[in-house]
Amino acid sequence: MEATHGRPDADLIITGVVPLGEGAFQRGWVAVTDGLITGVGPGRPPVPGTRRIDAGDSFVLPGAVDAHVHSYSHSGEGLRASTSAAAAGGVTTIVEMPFDATGPIHSTERLDAKLAKVAEEAVVDVALLGTLAPGGGWRRAEELVGAGVVGFKVSLFDTDPFRFPRICDAELLSVMKAVGEADSVLCVHAENNEIIQALLADERHRAASDPRVHGRTRPPVSETLGVLTAMEIAAHQGNALHLCHLSLGRSADLVRWYREQEVDITFETCPHYLVFTEDDMVEQRGRLKINPPLRDEASREAMWRAVSTGLAAVISSDHAPWPLEFKDHQRILDNHSGAPGTETLVATTLGACLRRYGAGPEFSRVVAALTSNPAERYGIGHRKGRLAPGYDADILVLTPTEDWRIDGSAQQSNAGWSPYDTYVPGAQVALTLSRGTVVWDADKGLTGSPGRGLQVRRR
């Protein structure tokens, strides 16, 4: 990001430590007028402003784009809660998943109903994914793109035959072709169904209170085979592919190999793969049951290498806010998979990154994985993810600190808990602005109101 001159006036000037180039952060300013960024630069702001926010030595960064949020997998959450959590965590746009408890978003009728919820409930902006039903749903891809989805998601694993069904390999050929012809991107939950289902059947009859049984039913090969299947079909069809929530260094290496052949593939990982390992399940048990599962220390370090080098283009929360009654069963396999996370996405990821690397090129790449990269992948990079003139004034202020710890009971999500409870992330989101309006202040709490969030469409 290069320094720019601002307009001769501004509604708001924010000063602090600003990104001003690859790996370069220095004292500077951001000017905002009518909800848009009108200037960014180093030193003292050259333009007057009717309001000033002085962030001191805190970072002034683009608002995060959380590329993986499930607001309606459980009826107790909804966009009001998830986007409130997003605002509290420095997330100014969520990419909302299509696998709702009331039925997947695979028709324009269901999409329109969800858009009404955005208008009524959202505190920050929302981009919607659609899905394509097994048995020929790929024929609706172009129609759904025209109605406003920014991409599609399907699963290679049969999570739920109604809400979250599997697309078989044969139909994945047609799905990818249709998504490519609609000039969109396909996101894939890449786990091999046959291996996992066989291992689940074998373990279910055992006394499966051992928390590690979850990892045994989803071994590394179940992820890498799913990743290979999706990538090879994408290479064959020539369309854009985004792999969701990868947990393994080997998966990242396979993506690198396909990208070297100029296949259009990106992937995301999640904070839980950067913070926790499978050993943490001994204490947290079902609360850390996540798909794919947590892996070993070597896998965590491999994923840090992927995000610090930019190979892992996106870091998302995979926010899945199940209430505790879905997560505290003694038998591990009886628990739902997933955890709330959009509120802790930025603090945990950037705090850990600062501890490891400081505010250098690695930090800049991780910021991009939370902001500009997901925005570009979903076709909303013309408005979101950057501090640059003409962009929405979506801004977060991040304060490095070792004096703040996460309180799981105080989260905005209706889940009422967090796997990061009592964790000291190393940074805190002090302020969140959505299109120039303060929607979260760490001293005052949530200041944004439901209904102010907007749908974001592809360029």
Side-chain angles (χ1 to χ4, degrees):
M1 183 181 299
E2 297 180 355
T4 66
H5 294 292
R7 280 169 40 170
D9 58 4
D11 297 333
L12 172 67
I13 297 288
I14 305 172
T15 57
V17 179
V18 177
L20 292 168
E22 178 65 28
F25 294 84
Q26 64 185 89
R27 290 301 300 264
W29 52 273
V30 180
V32 176
T33 299
D34 295 332
L36 297 176
I37 295 171
T38 53
V40 184
R44 296 172 60 86
V47 294
T50 57
R51 280 194 304 139
R52 294 275 179 129
I53 295 175
D54 182 4
D57 292 329
S58 296
F59 292 98
V60 179
L61 303 172
V65 178
D66 189 347
H68 203 130
V69 174
H70 297 268
S71 299
Y72 291 98
S73 296
H74 179 261
S75 60
E77 182 79 343
L79 279 168
R80 179 170 184 163
S82 66
T83 57
S84 295
V91 174
T92 51
T93 305
I94 67 167
V95 179
E96 168 67 9
M97 294 293 113
F99 303 111
D100 300 351
T102 54
I105 308 303
H106 55 42
S107 69
T108 53
E109 294 77 16
R110 287 185 175 176
L111 179 64
D112 288 345
K114 198 160 189 179
L115 285 171
K117 293 179 180 178
V118 173
E120 180 181 351
E121 300 180 20
V123 176
V124 297
D125 294 348
V126 179
L128 295 175
L129 290 185
T131 189
L132 301 167
W138 53 268
R139 295 181 177 88
R140 307 195 77 167
E142 189 169 352
E143 175 187 354
L144 284 161
V145 168
V149 303
V150 299
F152 296 92
K153 184 183 177 186
V154 298
S155 179
L156 307 189
F157 175 75
D158 193 15
T159 302
D160 182 304
F162 170 68
R163 182 180 68 84
F164 202 166
R166 178 197 181 207
I167 296 290
C168 71
D169 295 352
E171 189 159 18
L172 190 59
L173 288 161
S174 298
V175 166
M176 287 215 188
K177 185 173 187 294
V179 171
E181 289 175 347
D183 193 25
S184 192
V185 61
L186 183 68
C187 311
V188 173
H189 178 125
E191 290 187 292
N192 181 275
N193 192 68
E194 284 73 17
I195 289 175
I196 296 172
Q197 297 293 0
L199 292 172
L200 284 171
D202 185 55
E203 293 280 3
R204 284 195 192 281
H205 72 279
R206 304 173 190 263
S209 60
D210 178 3
R212 295 178 188 273
V213 72
H214 179 55
R216 291 201 299 269
T217 62
R218 304 177 111 90
V221 70
S222 65
E223 176 176 307
T224 53
L225 276 178
V227 165
L228 280 167
T229 297
M231 292 196 298
E232 191 62 18
I233 294 177
H236 173 70
Q237 298 289 20
N239 66 288
L241 172 67
H242 181 69
L243 296 163
C244 298
H245 44 55
L246 298 189
S247 67
L248 295 165
R250 183 168 176 80
S251 295
D253 290 340
L254 291 169
V255 171
R256 180 189 293 109
W257 190 79
Y258 275 82
R259 287 178 60 84
E260 288 171 352
Q261 300 174 65
E262 300 186 350
V263 184
D264 185 3
I265 297 172
T266 53
F267 80 91
E268 69 189 47
T269 192
C270 306
H272 38 265
Y273 302 122
L274 301 171
V275 173
F276 300 114
T277 70
E278 59 191 359
D279 293 339
D280 291 297
M281 282 197 74
V282 175
E283 178 182 352
Q284 295 216 42
R285 299 183 59 78
R287 299 187 186 195
L288 281 177
K289 181 174 180 281
I290 293 165
N291 297 340
L294 300 175
R295 307 294 186 181
D296 60 14
E297 176 69 21
S299 296
R300 179 171 67 178
E301 291 305 305
M303 203 51 70
W304 268 113
R305 287 193 294 274
V307 299
S308 66
T309 59
L311 176 60
V314 176
I315 304 173
S316 72
S317 71
D318 195 5
H319 179 74
W322 302 110
L324 282 177
E325 59 262 32
F326 290 80
K327 298 292 289 180
D328 281 349
H329 296 291
Q330 184 64 21
R331 289 173 56 87
I332 295 302
L333 296 180
D334 290 343
N335 294 290
H336 284 53
S337 293
T342 194
E343 188 166 341
T344 52
L345 168 67
V346 170
T348 55
T349 305
L350 293 184
C353 185
L354 286 168
R355 284 174 176 154
R356 282 175 172 259
Y357 306 112
E362 296 89 353
F363 184 68
S364 182
R365 293 181 196 115
V366 174
V367 169
L370 293 166
T371 58
S372 57
N373 291 351
E376 290 294 334
R377 195 49 164 160
Y378 287 110
I380 59 174
H382 60 299
R383 294 182 52 183
K384 303 294 185 181
R386 297 181 186 274
L387 297 184
Y391 277 69
D392 289 349
D394 293 349
I395 301 167
L396 72 90
V397 174
L398 184 80
T399 303
T401 176
E402 297 293 334
D403 296 328
W404 177 74
R405 67 180 62 242
I406 294 169
D407 181 352
S409 65
Q411 302 286 290
Q412 297 293 317
S413 168
N414 288 336
W417 66 282
S418 168
Y420 300 96
D421 186 41
T422 75
Y423 178 68
V424 178
Q428 181 183 16
V429 174
L431 208 66
T432 307
L433 289 84
S434 169
R435 288 178 278 106
T437 297
V438 175
V439 293
W440 170 261
D441 184 320
D443 293 327
K444 300 176 182 177
L446 187 71
T447 56
S449 57
R452 66 163 305 283
L454 301 175
Q455 180 202 12
V456 187
R457 299 175 66 112
R458 287 180 67 87
R459 192 194 322 262

